[in-house]
Amino acid sequence: MPAPPSASSRLGELLVESGYVTRSQLNQALARQDQDGLKLGRILVDMGLLREVDLLQALSQQLNLPVEDLRQFQFRPHTVLRLPEAYARRHRAIVLNDEGATIRVGMADPTDIFAFDGVQRLLDKPIEPILVSESALHSAIDLVYRRTEEISNLAEELGQELSGRDYNLDDLAQGQPAQDAPVIKLLQSMFDDAVQVGASDIHIEPGDNLLRIRLRVDGHLQEQVIQGGRIAPALVTRLKLMAMLNISERRLPQDGRFTMRVKDQPIDVRLSTLPIQHGESVVMRLLYQSSALLDMANLGIPDTMVQRVKRIIQRPAGMFLVTGPTGSGKNTTLYAALNEINIPGRKIITVEDPVEYQLPRINQVQVREKIGLDFARTLRSVLRQDPDVVMVGEMRDQETVQIGLRAAITGHMVFSTLHTNSAPDTISRLMDMGAEGYMLAAALDAVMAQRLVRRVCDNCAQTEPLNRHQRAWLRGHVAEHLLDSMQFQVGTGCAFCGNTGYRGRIGVYELLELDDTLSEILRSGDTATFMQKARKARDYRPLLHCALDYAARGLTSVAEVMRLAGRLDDEGGNDEEPTQRFEVIRGGPG
């Protein structure tokens, strides 16, 4: 049996000789090692004294082992699964190739004798260790080890248990110990899988003697079909209990929420049930309670626009609106704005339906229309609580709009959202809702419109020439000399992106600030002139130009930009004038 490579105590000397760290930095790490007992290389990386890629190169030189970049590796699911997930995580290893007399195994620490021997025994074949980045390894394990087979097996187990006896589903949901009930194990596996792939929603849809579980990842649904008609009611009943809903009511829609921890991460779950032909459909929105999501720097807003937005939201009074269709990230943008100005000296109250993210120091009110606590009534009460900033989840009706505008005029900063196609279109929408031009001119500071497009996967991205359809479309928006100098990226598909070529999404934004000229036009009530002048306003760039910026930087693909343009055309929000030509703006999200 092959022996694991041995790590001598010369790693530190090698790093110093190679210029990766200084003698002083090495001594700091060695002192830390005496306290923590961790590997020297890991300590140097954690302290920020050494890049992980440099550590890999030094270890490769010291141990005489090859290095594999997992971000570019094409995994084969059946090969990877030769090593069960639990052992892959425990031993920090992943099977790369099983051809020939040995198995190539990527390992974060090939000198770990316990891990080497454990993998060797499980695979029952000589292994050839390959050095891999520990961070890339953890990402690869999360993405490659999907829970599809586990979910199918648990669903089969639950189906057999339900068919073995004539269970009352309500008793089943309440009476079984949580640690033993197959329905609980199945739900846990579903949530684990959803969090691993970064899903925003889980759909549970019963059919004719089957169950569809669909995850929305980067705006697109991924489906798994499970056979058996008795599984869905058991799942729905348990979820209703978790959300404190009426489990005996199966004829009417219900809404609820609950919180759970998945992979040591708190997740807020908004649940909605709907009676359908074969039972009840359930959709769960997953809200990841991470402070990083509420930082304006992480939203993808272009740098120059971020500075403008920060200046606007710091004003003592006025109105800032974020617009776009459902699912475009409006609330996340507003939460990030609130987080930016959330200081002890400023009182902030929100009126929401529902409360999505819980923020410290902010008074958040949940609208309850069933008992008459609607947006307008709540907003009137909120203004008597001496707030500095008020956030209204959505401008839904004329009364809410009027109260919000009066609040902005009388010394409050008001944030809210609206469903409009573009920033300039917001004015027409507000006037249709009964807002007077002079009120808008006095209250409204700025409108930001946004959409989401998919990011090109940075693991499999490569430059690809335009096809004739793309080039013909781009000629309508980009000058020919500029188009000839631009290069565009596409994702070829890999394990890290589920072979879609895309991984994650990024916001596309446009910002319209009202200056004296636009305010004067508004005051006169001339909507047509306002729309014309707004699209020519200084610093205003349409959504489509922001998306083209991202494509020019390789963040998204031309196909995604064309898809966005098609949607804007359908919504009536892409009526830019022919004189508006795209220009590259330097600086922005990475």
Side-chain angles (χ1 to χ4, degrees):
M1 179 180 295
S6 61
S8 71
S9 59
R10 286 199 68 252
L11 174 61
E13 297 299 325
L14 180 62
L15 291 170
V16 172
E17 292 170 7
S18 303
Y20 291 128
V21 297
T22 65
R23 176 67 61 183
S24 174
Q25 290 171 332
L26 175 61
N27 290 335
Q28 291 179 45
L30 289 172
R32 175 92 168 264
Q33 187 181 37
D34 289 339
Q35 297 175 359
D36 300 343
L38 300 176
K39 297 279 187 180
L40 177 62
R42 185 74 264 156
I43 290 174
L44 285 165
V45 172
D46 291 343
M47 292 176 68
L49 302 176
L50 181 68
R51 296 187 308 163
E52 197 169 26
V53 62
D54 294 331
L55 173 62
L56 283 178
Q57 291 301 321
L59 285 172
S60 174
Q61 181 180 343
Q62 182 196 24
L63 302 174
N64 194 27
L65 289 178
V67 176
E68 183 68 60
D69 185 356
L70 294 183
R71 295 173 303 173
Q72 308 295 335
F73 190 79
Q74 295 290 334
F75 291 97
R76 298 175 183 175
H78 292 297
T79 302
V80 171
L81 293 177
R82 286 212 52 188
L83 185 65
E85 181 184 0
Y87 293 97
R89 292 187 184 278
R90 181 187 305 170
H91 299 313
R92 294 181 298 161
I94 191 167
V95 178
L96 304 177
N97 192 283
D98 185 13
E99 296 176 359
T102 61
I103 297 181
R104 297 176 77 245
V105 178
M107 302 186 73
D109 183 9
T111 66
D112 185 335
I113 297 175
F114 173 77
F116 189 93
D117 289 345
V119 173
Q120 181 80 72
R121 282 194 304 271
L122 287 165
L123 296 178
D124 196 27
K125 192 174 181 180
I127 68 173
E128 178 187 346
I130 308 294
L131 271 170
V132 297
S133 156
E134 186 164 3
S135 58
L137 174 65
H138 288 311
S139 297
I141 290 174
D142 282 344
L143 292 164
V144 174
Y145 284 94
R146 291 294 302 274
R147 306 284 175 148
T148 306
E149 186 175 352
E150 179 181 314
I151 291 171
S152 296
N153 292 337
L154 288 170
E156 184 178 354
E157 179 184 346
L158 176 60
Q160 290 173 353
E161 182 168 322
L162 291 173
S163 62
R165 292 167 55 190
D166 187 16
Y167 276 112
N168 179 309
L169 289 176
D170 298 346
D171 294 340
L172 169 70
Q174 298 180 71
Q176 290 198 31
Q179 66 270 22
D180 297 324
V183 65
I184 295 296
K185 295 177 182 177
L186 176 56
L187 283 172
Q188 186 65 54
S189 186
M190 285 169 46
F191 279 109
D192 284 346
D193 189 46
V195 171
Q196 274 188 199
V197 296
S200 60
D201 302 85
I202 302 176
H203 295 235
I204 298 175
E205 302 170 350
D208 185 10
N209 201 36
L210 57 80
L211 173 68
R212 287 185 176 87
I213 299 174
R214 302 203 281 178
L215 305 181
R216 189 173 295 279
V217 181
D218 296 338
H220 292 254
L221 288 170
Q222 301 177 359
E223 180 178 270
Q224 180 178 0
V225 178
I226 297 172
Q227 299 300 319
R230 305 192 69 182
I231 301 170
L235 286 177
V236 173
T237 300
R238 172 57 73 176
L239 288 168
K240 282 184 173 181
L241 284 167
M242 295 167 68
M244 301 182 70
L245 301 179
N246 184 353
I247 60 175
S248 62
E249 179 57 78
R250 299 184 176 94
R251 302 164 301 167
L252 297 173
Q254 297 187 67
D255 296 307
R257 67 187 304 160
F258 57 90
T259 302
M260 63 186 303
R261 293 191 72 85
V262 182
K263 296 182 176 294
D264 294 325
Q265 182 178 3
I267 307 289
D268 271 355
V269 182
R270 283 168 38 191
L271 180 144
S272 171
T273 70
L274 180 70
I276 59 175
Q277 184 177 3
H278 297 288
E280 290 179 278
S281 168
V282 175
V283 174
M284 291 176 283
R285 169 66 54 88
L286 308 183
L287 301 171
Y288 299 85
Q289 297 299 312
S290 169
S291 59
L293 297 175
L294 305 181
D295 187 339
M296 294 196 73
N298 295 332
L299 295 181
I301 303 175
D303 294 342
T304 53
M305 195 180 294
V306 167
Q307 299 308 314
R308 293 166 62 197
V309 171
K310 286 184 177 181
R311 175 172 45 81
I312 292 166
I313 63 178
Q314 293 287 354
R315 292 174 183 171
M319 180 177 282
F320 174 63
L321 297 178
V322 180
T323 76
T326 301
S328 60
K330 300 186 298 296
N331 283 346
T332 301
T333 298
L334 278 188
Y335 277 114
L338 290 178
N339 209 37
E340 179 73 24
I341 62 173
N342 185 10
I343 59 174
R346 185 177 281 132
K347 179 159 184 176
I348 303 173
I349 305 180
T350 71
V351 184
E352 306 175 61
D353 184 22
V355 174
E356 292 192 1
Y357 296 97
Q358 298 178 20
L359 300 176
R361 201 187 290 115
I362 293 180
N363 297 283
Q364 297 174 267
V365 182
Q366 168 76 55
V367 169
R368 301 184 187 277
E369 304 235 359
K370 291 181 181 179
I371 60 172
L373 192 64
D374 57 17
F375 274 103
R377 181 176 179 181
T378 307
L379 186 52
R380 280 195 297 269
S381 299
V382 162
L383 293 175
R384 292 193 287 270
Q385 291 282 312
D386 189 29
D388 297 299
V389 179
V390 177
M391 192 269 269
V392 185
E394 184 182 346
M395 293 290 186
R396 290 185 177 178
D397 52 50
Q398 180 178 353
E399 189 176 7
T400 306
V401 170
Q402 295 288 356
I403 297 172
L405 288 172
R406 282 198 296 272
I409 292 172
T410 56
H412 304 85
M413 190 64 198
V414 179
F415 296 167
S416 191
T417 70
L418 205 63
H419 291 276
T420 63
N421 301 323
S422 69
D425 286 337
T426 304
I427 301 304
S428 298
R429 174 70 174 136
L430 288 170
M431 286 188 165
D432 288 344
M433 295 174 73
E436 298 289 344
Y438 73 91
M439 291 280 284
L440 289 172
L444 190 60
D445 287 316
V447 182
M448 174 184 280
Q450 66 181 75
R451 298 292 190 278
L452 294 174
V453 294
R454 290 183 292 174
R455 277 181 178 266
V456 171
C457 175
D458 56 4
N459 296 315
C460 59
Q462 66 177 33
T463 303
E464 183 174 88
L466 298 169
N467 61 42
R468 64 184 182 88
H469 299 292
Q470 292 171 334
R471 180 170 285 277
W473 181 84
L474 283 169
R475 282 198 184 105
H477 302 276
V478 182
E480 190 72 31
H481 73 279
L482 184 60
L483 182 58
D484 290 337
S485 65
M486 296 168 70
Q487 290 189 327
F488 300 98
Q489 300 278 322
V490 296
T492 57
C494 65
F496 280 73
C497 62
N499 292 313
T500 63
Y502 298 97
R503 188 179 178 194
R505 289 188 290 178
I506 187 171
V508 175
Y509 304 89
E510 66 180 23
L511 179 63
L512 175 65
E513 289 188 73
L514 273 69
D515 56 18
D516 291 342
T517 301
L518 291 177
S519 294
E520 190 59 38
I521 297 171
L522 259 187
R523 195 170 284 108
S524 69
D526 187 350
T527 308
T529 302
F530 176 88
M531 298 287 284
Q532 182 183 19
K533 295 291 186 181
R535 289 194 167 90
K536 294 180 180 179
R538 186 170 62 88
D539 295 330
Y540 170 75
R541 300 183 77 235
L543 285 164
L544 192 58
H545 287 195
C546 182
L548 284 167
D549 260 344
Y550 293 167
R553 296 191 180 104
L555 297 177
T556 192
S557 66
V558 174
E560 276 292 284
V561 178
M562 292 175 68
R563 186 171 67 90
L564 171 66
R567 288 186 174 183
L568 291 174
D569 285 339
D570 292 341
E571 297 166 1
N574 190 28
D575 51 350
E576 64 179 75
E577 297 183 12
T579 53
Q580 279 187 296
R581 305 293 288 178
F582 168 75
E583 295 179 1
V584 175
I585 301 297
R586 299 300 173 194

